[in-house]
Amino acid sequence: MATPRRVLLLLLALAAAALAGAEEGPRGRRLLVLLDDLAVRSSHSAFFGSLQARGFDLDFRLADDPKLSLHRYGFGGSVDQNAVLEFIDAGHDVILAADSSASDLIRGIATECGVDFDEDPEAMVIDHINYAVTDVDGDHTLIAGDDLIQSDVILGSKKIEAPVLFRGIGHTANPSNSLVLKVLSASPSAYSANPKTKLASPPSLTGSAISLVSVMQARNNARVLISGSLDLFSNLFLKSGVQKAGSKKRHERAGNEQFVTETSKWVFHERGHLKAINVKHHKVGETNEPGMYRINDDLEYSVEIYEWSGTSWKPYVADDVQLQFFMMSPYVLKTMSTDKKGLYSTSFKVPDVYGVFQFKVEYQRLGYTGLSFTKQIPVRPYRHNEYERFITSAYPYYTASFSTMGAFFIFSFVYLYHK
């Protein structure tokens, strides 16, 4: 079941601007596909066809094309590590697929995205237990992977029943990088080594620590998918049946087609992209937004949050969206209620502290784009004429004052007129 070995598949989402029209999407529909061999265009035509069927416009180019000028595609210079990283920093999305002959360029880009490929250039992922059954016994580098991330937003709501075929190199996610997620992991019996030689020492990558496919969502919400297998996207793997070693069940189709379709939808923001609009705040009983609040005012705050479904914006429904009323630290932290139509709201009393506060929403949820927005508002104390004329809690002091004055009057009268 071997396919011709290629080095690189690099899909760059060129436009971060929204689509035109009434239903504006979060991303554009142009993709630059950089290949080391244009033959991949035909050997992986099913995957490319699925992208085109979803409305993407694909531009195929050779990565080493001397006439390739990336200025026209939204970032400058040649295809080098800095150019790709600047492209990601600008908020664009990338799918990167390589194999065991991946260049230093590909390894460098992956490292900067929080992923480290096996340093051995001849190493491949090997699994003598969880391999795909073939007619001829091989070196068990054809993996039948089924250890998938539990996330409907990344992999879709429909469960991937069949194992995913994988042949390629493994990588590890940098533990210090919290932005990287392992989407398809190797089994505990897997290891990374040269399949053509005997092991002279224990392999450096073993077990479930090996990631086969990983994703990274940067803090600017740019998304990157990194796969150590170009075959994962090939027509052969997308159309092949699969039977996992030790299992009697044979699937007519491997899970590759569903896997690459759903993950590419996530990478290109067809799912899991949130937007917040109509942020409002005002005093209870009023509708106009004031320029300043007073301590102990009762106020209301609301925001509308929607999720892109691939074709339109749908109300986002969750029970964990929180609002902070913030000055150096949160004075108020409230979980907002939702009408399940996209509107989130809450009400609270302004703290008895004056200064410059912020309404602050920081929302981070696995697989979704992060939401972060603030609005600054000053809070003033009472004016001199806004205090109560008589304060109930001060009545004992009022009584003490008047009783003292009365006693002094009685004492003076008695002292002056008593004979």
Side-chain angles (χ1 to χ4, degrees):
M1 193 177 285
T3 58
R5 291 179 65 192
R6 310 296 182 196
V7 181
L8 169 68
L9 167 63
L10 191 61
L11 276 77
L12 306 174
L14 297 175
L19 292 169
E23 291 290 351
E24 294 184 345
R27 288 291 191 269
R29 313 299 287 178
R30 295 177 59 215
L31 297 179
L32 173 62
V33 186
L34 299 181
L35 308 169
D36 270 2
D37 189 336
L38 288 178
V40 175
R41 183 173 180 176
S42 58
S43 64
H44 293 61
S45 59
F47 173 61
F48 296 135
S50 70
L51 294 174
Q52 291 171 329
R54 301 203 313 258
F56 287 100
D57 180 17
L58 276 57
D59 186 0
F60 294 90
R61 305 297 295 269
L62 287 173
D64 58 357
D65 185 349
K67 298 181 181 179
L68 179 61
S69 175
L70 298 182
H71 288 282
R72 57 177 292 211
Y73 294 111
F75 63 106
S78 59
V79 182
D80 57 24
Q81 180 173 322
N82 289 335
V84 175
L85 295 177
E86 288 175 3
F87 184 78
I88 296 171
D89 288 341
H92 300 273
D93 311 309
V94 173
I95 291 179
L96 186 153
D99 63 9
S100 58
S101 53
S103 65
D104 291 338
L105 168 64
I106 299 304
R107 293 174 182 270
I109 295 172
T111 299
E112 292 296 324
C113 292
V115 164
D116 296 312
F117 283 116
D118 194 328
E119 295 180 355
D120 185 352
E122 300 298 324
M124 298 181 71
V125 179
I126 302 171
D127 195 330
H128 297 301
I129 297 177
N130 295 283
Y131 58 91
V133 176
T134 57
D135 293 336
V136 180
D137 290 338
D139 50 16
H140 298 164
T141 57
L142 182 59
I143 309 298
D146 55 9
D147 187 1
L148 300 167
I149 188 173
Q150 300 300 309
S151 173
D152 288 349
V153 66
I154 296 178
L155 293 182
S157 57
K158 184 179 179 182
K159 183 180 179 181
I160 300 177
E161 300 288 349
V164 177
L165 292 173
F166 178 95
R167 178 187 283 116
I169 53 178
H171 60 264
T172 57
N174 190 328
S176 64
N177 191 333
S178 60
L179 304 177
V180 178
L181 300 172
K182 295 193 293 184
V183 178
L184 178 62
S185 302
S187 72
S189 58
Y191 64 95
S192 180
N194 186 344
K196 298 179 181 178
T197 62
K198 293 184 178 181
L199 284 174
S201 59
S204 58
L205 300 182
T206 60
S208 298
I210 301 175
S211 180
L212 308 179
V213 179
S214 295
V215 295
M216 185 273 292
Q217 179 169 275
R219 290 184 175 86
N220 63 355
N221 290 326
R223 291 172 174 175
V224 179
L225 182 144
I226 298 175
S227 170
S229 172
L230 184 56
D231 291 337
L232 177 79
F233 301 85
S234 68
N235 296 350
L236 183 59
F237 279 22
L238 264 61
K239 306 301 181 184
S240 292
V242 61
Q243 181 178 350
K244 190 174 181 179
S247 173
K248 295 181 180 179
K249 184 176 182 179
R250 177 174 176 80
H251 298 269
E252 293 300 321
R253 288 285 181 90
N256 291 56
E257 184 172 10
Q258 184 179 353
F259 179 80
V260 300
T261 298
E262 298 301 333
T263 52
S264 65
K265 284 181 179 179
W266 180 83
V267 171
F268 296 132
H269 291 256
E270 295 174 81
R271 187 170 55 236
H273 188 102
L274 304 179
K275 74 171 181 179
I277 60 173
N278 295 333
V279 179
K280 299 178 181 179
H281 61 87
H282 53 79
K283 294 180 182 179
V284 173
E286 299 181 5
T287 57
N288 294 329
E289 181 177 309
M292 179 183 298
Y293 285 104
R294 187 188 66 184
I295 59 174
N296 296 326
D297 275 347
D298 292 311
L299 63 85
E300 295 178 344
Y301 179 95
S302 64
V303 60
E304 295 179 34
I305 302 178
Y306 296 93
E307 177 186 2
W308 182 249
S309 67
T311 56
S312 63
W313 292 102
K314 304 293 186 182
Y316 177 68
V317 180
D319 58 1
D320 57 353
V321 181
Q322 293 185 322
L323 168 69
Q324 301 178 49
F325 197 55
F326 189 93
M327 184 176 69
M328 302 298 288
S329 61
Y331 279 76
V332 176
L333 179 61
K334 296 274 289 185
T335 299
M336 292 190 282
S337 59
T338 177
D339 63 355
K340 297 187 178 180
K341 297 180 181 179
L343 179 66
Y344 290 80
S345 60
T346 188
S347 60
F348 61 92
K349 185 180 290 291
V350 176
D352 195 3
V353 178
Y354 58 87
V356 179
F357 281 81
Q358 287 183 338
F359 293 103
K360 187 175 184 180
V361 174
E362 293 277 356
Y363 188 69
Q364 303 289 335
R365 191 171 181 182
L366 178 67
Y368 289 93
T369 53
L371 293 177
S372 178
F373 47 94
T374 62
K375 200 163 190 178
Q376 188 169 289
I377 192 77
V379 174
R380 65 171 177 84
Y382 286 108
R383 297 190 182 98
H384 71 281
N385 61 347
E386 291 179 325
Y387 287 99
E388 297 178 19
R389 182 60 64 100
F390 295 102
I391 302 175
T392 304
S393 60
Y395 279 179
Y397 301 98
Y398 300 152
T399 304
S401 298
F402 284 111
S403 62
T404 301
M405 288 187 290
F408 180 76
F409 175 78
I410 295 172
F411 172 78
S412 300
F413 181 83
V414 172
Y415 181 78
L416 291 173
Y417 297 104
H418 181 68
K419 293 183 179 179

